Amino acid sequence: MVSSLKAAVVVAGLVHTILAAIIGTTTTTPGTAVPTLTISTAVASPSVSLGATLPSQAPLPPSQGWCIGQIFCAGSLLQTVNVAQVYSDPKTFVDKPTSKSSQQVLADFSNFNVSTVTEGQIVNFVDSDFLGEGLELEAAALANFNPTPAFLNNVTDPLLKAFAQAVHGYWTQLARNTNQSAICDEYPGGTCESSLIPLNHTFIIPGGRFREQYYWDSYWIIQGLIQSELYETVNATLQNFMDEIEGFGFIPNGGRIYYLNRSQPPLFIHMVYDYAELAWWANNRTIEVTSPYTNQTYMMAHYAVNNTAPRPESYLTDYLTIHDPTLSTPLTDNQAAELYSELASGAETGWDYSSRFEAIPQLGNPGLRSLNVKNNIPIYKARILLAELYGTFNATSSSTHLQVAAGIRAGILDLLWDPAKLAFYDFNLTSNARNDIFTAATFYPVWNGIIPNEILASQSNAFGYFAAVNLVVNKYNGTVPVTFIDWTGLQWDAPNSWPPLQYIIMQALRTIPSNLTTNGLPTPSSDQSTYDLVPAGQLALTEAQLPGQPLLGAQANQNATATGPAADINKLSGTVVNGGNATAGEGWRDTLQREMANRYYASVLCSWHATGGSIPGLLPQLPASELNLTNSIGNTGNMFEKFSNLNIDSSGYGGEYTVQAGFGWTNGVLLWVASTYGEQLVAPQCPPLVAAATTTSTSAAVGLQASSGAVITAVMMAFMAHAFLL
């Protein structure tokens, strides 16, 4: 690890040189004042009377050696507070610093008999011994904040330009520093205890319950910060991650001690090109896999967290997954420990949770009990960037990384690529074969420039790889969902569409060579829908099995026609509803990019407007009678973490917590879209909110008028243009 860290210092120095050059040649206005940050402490909301005795508890899970302390780690205190359900979100409690020393808090808790303790006693204990969640953080001023960054000139429509400027301003509300006056002394022996990992530099939080710095979120946050010319904040973010690598040997999932047993998709190579993190993944997450297709053997990474207890931030959720009283078959201790590991591994993927990793996709806990994350080799990307960064500076290191990258690339193409279906699928070690669930992860390798020969063989094949994207924009009202499986209730399944995935798809489209994109968008025969253009077997679902697209008005409880040409309810001449305007000679790749960019912008803007957003002189706030339908009276618009591909007025839903607003990666992707496709963006037609309240979707529209044009490429994207591993 010492040599790895030395390499990290060298690589980091190169990146710092790049950043310094950018910062040194940029003219900006003085930084903003520190915004007012109100820490709102959650009020205890027990679901039973204060005099009620707590339910009996299952035996405690094993102590977790990686977790520091006895308060915010698996143990009697954490389990008892969670069983009491003092707060609706289990993360609230573990984000509260104590108001007393660790020893005093543990002594106070030891006075309880957990078999007779009451709800009221636990509520009083938490109120007496803990402070407000998030008090260890404070609002930060953003150095050299420019209210009118240059990318805004790329956006020609006045409304969309004003919205991009408003989103740019949201960085000032999401910037944080560690509050040094509220930091607890190092455990043990301090005057208080906290779960926060203190950071030395300013960072951007996602928002909502995610009140600390997060790993893979920061990649898309950085994309937006670059457009916003906040290069010093980018540099600060990278410095924080390098500090974590130096301290822990890897980047944790997020900035809390309860994340110290897992990382997230390793995008730091995208951000800093740091060798040290690759060493951690090589040593802790890489296994040997022999292909059943070619008999070749590869070293491939997978997600596999060493964990045998509930995740502290989701303790009750995991506890009830294992000890679900509605399920008749109890798990053995070994089965419970293995499932806890699978749940933590699922969180490490960033896709927590999805049918992608369920052996038997089902609704609720039965499906989660079949999680098989560790036995899947996920679709991921390679470390070519690191070799390019070393270049002639260190030819030996460059050669080494190129060799490793070549092996990973070969493994991806052998194990994960299906040349007949023209798609990538996770490789399942249990079945020793590719999975057949089609997910948006299929676009990860091409995003990184790993383009199979079959795609390069013809325009028809190249389009076939993206045919599902074309299906979505014609059949559905929103953007591309994670999967086409909508019966699990999981947040990384349909109908949810996530900003990072839309970014990846658009970047993958941009990677396709221009000689494969000159033809116009293919059209199905007159008696078929765009489903007919999807390669056979690619989706592993018949057209009739795809999720339905609900209608409006008198037919609000009905779906659009499931099959045939009438299923393409958003199809227009040369474009789709909320897909922008067609231009003469436009190739299929550019058409899909334009439609994707406009759909994403529509999802963000329309859901923001539906929750109280407004722009003086351009977009009035909806009347209270309509805002009441979204519980948004007094609100000024939400930037959601995920969206519904059925209704652009709506956020996404499902999963183990309520949908969050803020939101770092949503803002980052929107600013990148504004910068990259600004002249092609057309103000969206947002569905009538009154009608949307009776259903989840519409392709009808109430107009916001706009203009169109050509693609403007973001200059700074060249700095972050490639990818490592996911």
Side-chain angles (χ1 to χ4, degrees), residues 68-377:
I68 303 169
Q70 301 177 58
I71 295 175
F72 302 114
C73 302
S76 183
L77 190 156
L78 184 58
Q79 180 160 301
T80 300
V81 172
N82 273 272
V83 169
Q85 299 187 51
V86 177
Y87 304 105
S88 59
D89 184 350
K91 190 175 185 295
T92 300
F93 173 70
V94 291
D95 288 357
K96 288 177 171 290
T98 67
S99 58
K100 304 176 181 178
S101 69
S102 305
Q103 291 84 349
Q104 187 59 57
V105 172
L106 292 170
D108 291 348
F109 178 76
S110 70
N111 291 327
F112 300 131
N113 181 334
V114 295
S115 63
T116 61
V117 68
T118 66
E119 187 78 25
Q121 288 176 306
I122 295 300
V123 170
N124 290 336
F125 165 67
V126 173
D127 287 343
S128 172
D129 286 35
F130 294 84
L131 300 172
E133 60 274 14
L135 284 179
E136 318 98 321
L137 299 171
E138 61 185 6
L142 291 177
N144 299 318
F145 181 82
N146 179 1
T148 56
F151 86 88
L152 292 173
N153 296 325
N154 296 355
V155 186
T156 54
D157 180 86
L159 170 60
L160 302 188
K161 181 176 182 178
F163 181 57
Q165 187 170 17
V167 173
H168 162 69
Y170 288 159
W171 296 132
T172 64
Q173 303 302 312
L174 297 173
R176 297 288 185 271
N177 283 328
T178 299
N179 182 357
Q180 298 298 332
S181 65
I183 292 301
C184 298
D185 296 333
E186 189 170 339
Y187 176 88
T191 57
C192 62
E193 183 174 339
S194 166
S195 64
L196 184 76
I197 298 173
L199 298 175
N200 296 320
H201 308 279
T202 299
F203 54 93
I204 302 294
I205 64 169
R209 75 198 289 264
F210 303 111
R211 53 182 65 89
E212 48 280 315
Q213 179 168 283
Y214 278 80
Y215 182 9
W216 82 317
D217 293 64
S218 295
Y219 172 74
W220 288 279
I221 288 172
I222 281 176
Q223 303 314 305
L225 292 175
I226 289 172
Q227 308 309 324
S228 293
E229 301 170 7
L230 291 168
Y231 306 121
E232 292 185 27
T233 308
V234 174
N235 195 11
T237 300
L238 303 180
Q239 292 277 5
N240 284 331
F241 286 144
M242 286 187 286
D243 289 345
E244 289 186 321
I245 289 177
E246 186 172 350
F248 306 122
F250 74 109
I251 300 173
N253 183 146
R256 297 276 173 180
I257 62 166
Y258 49 72
Y259 290 131
L260 286 176
N261 71 331
R262 67 180 191 262
S263 187
Q264 275 191 318
L267 289 170
F268 191 57
I269 192 66
H270 227 343
M271 296 183 255
V272 180
Y273 325 145
D274 193 334
Y275 175 73
E277 191 199 19
L278 296 186
W280 184 87
W281 278 87
N283 294 332
N284 295 277
R285 296 291 189 269
T286 301
I287 58 176
E288 190 175 87
V289 181
T290 299
S291 169
Y293 311 111
T294 64
N295 206 36
Q296 296 294 311
T297 298
Y298 308 96
M299 299 302 297
M300 305 295 287
H302 68 146
Y303 300 104
V305 177
N306 182 18
N307 181 69
T308 57
R311 294 166 295 151
E313 80 282 8
S314 299
Y315 195 101
L316 183 64
T317 308
D318 290 358
Y319 176 89
L320 292 176
T321 300
I322 272 70
H323 304 290
D324 188 338
T326 67
L327 299 180
S328 58
T329 305
L331 300 179
T332 66
D333 289 347
N334 287 340
Q335 288 172 328
E338 182 61 22
L339 183 50
Y340 282 136
S341 178
E342 288 288 348
L343 288 165
S345 300
E348 187 172 60
T349 71
W351 288 36
D352 43 343
Y353 294 98
S354 171
S355 59
R356 175 187 180 188
F357 297 115
E358 289 185 338
I360 307 173
Q362 297 180 69
L363 177 66
N365 285 339
L368 288 176
R369 283 187 168 194
S370 74
L371 278 175
N372 193 31
V373 180
K374 296 190 295 183
N375 282 321
N376 273 276
I377 302 299

Side-chain angles (χ1 to χ4, degrees), residues 485-554:
I485 293 176
D486 65 350
W487 61 80
T488 65
L490 300 176
Q491 65 172 348
W492 287 86
D493 274 326
N496 288 345
S497 61
W498 293 78
L501 300 182
Q502 314 315 308
Y503 169 92
I504 287 168
I505 293 169
M506 285 182 274
Q507 286 283 36
L509 281 162
R510 295 167 67 83
T511 304
I512 299 299
S514 58
N515 67 304
L516 294 173
T517 65
T518 55
N519 292 346
L521 202 64
T523 57
S525 59
S526 60
D527 61 343
Q528 298 290 336
S529 73
T530 48
Y531 176 86
D532 193 51
L533 301 175
V534 178
Q538 187 183 82
L539 304 184
L541 296 169
T542 67
E543 185 174 11
Q545 291 174 323
L546 292 173
Q549 170 63 66
L551 296 171
L552 268 183

Side-chain angles (χ1 to χ4, degrees), residues 629-644:
L629 298 170
T630 59
N631 297 314
S632 298
I633 293 178
N635 197 24
T636 56
N638 290 339
M639 297 291 289
F640 290 114
E641 63 169 343
K642 56 181 177 282
F643 301 93
S644 168

Side-chain angles (χ1 to χ4, degrees), residues 10-83:
V10 173
V11 177
L14 293 174
V15 175
H16 291 167
T17 301
I18 296 171
L19 287 170
I22 295 171
I23 295 168
T25 58
T26 302
T27 302
T28 53
T29 58
T32 59
V34 179
T36 300
L37 176 63
T38 302
I39 301 292
S40 57
T41 302
V43 177
S45 54
S47 57
V48 299
S49 69
L50 296 180
T53 302
L54 296 191
S56 60
Q57 299 183 32
L60 292 175
S63 177
Q64 304 299 295
W66 57 267
C67 196
I68 303 169
Q70 301 177 58
I71 295 175
F72 302 114
C73 302
S76 183
L77 190 156
L78 184 58
Q79 180 160 301
T80 300
V81 172
N82 273 272
V83 169

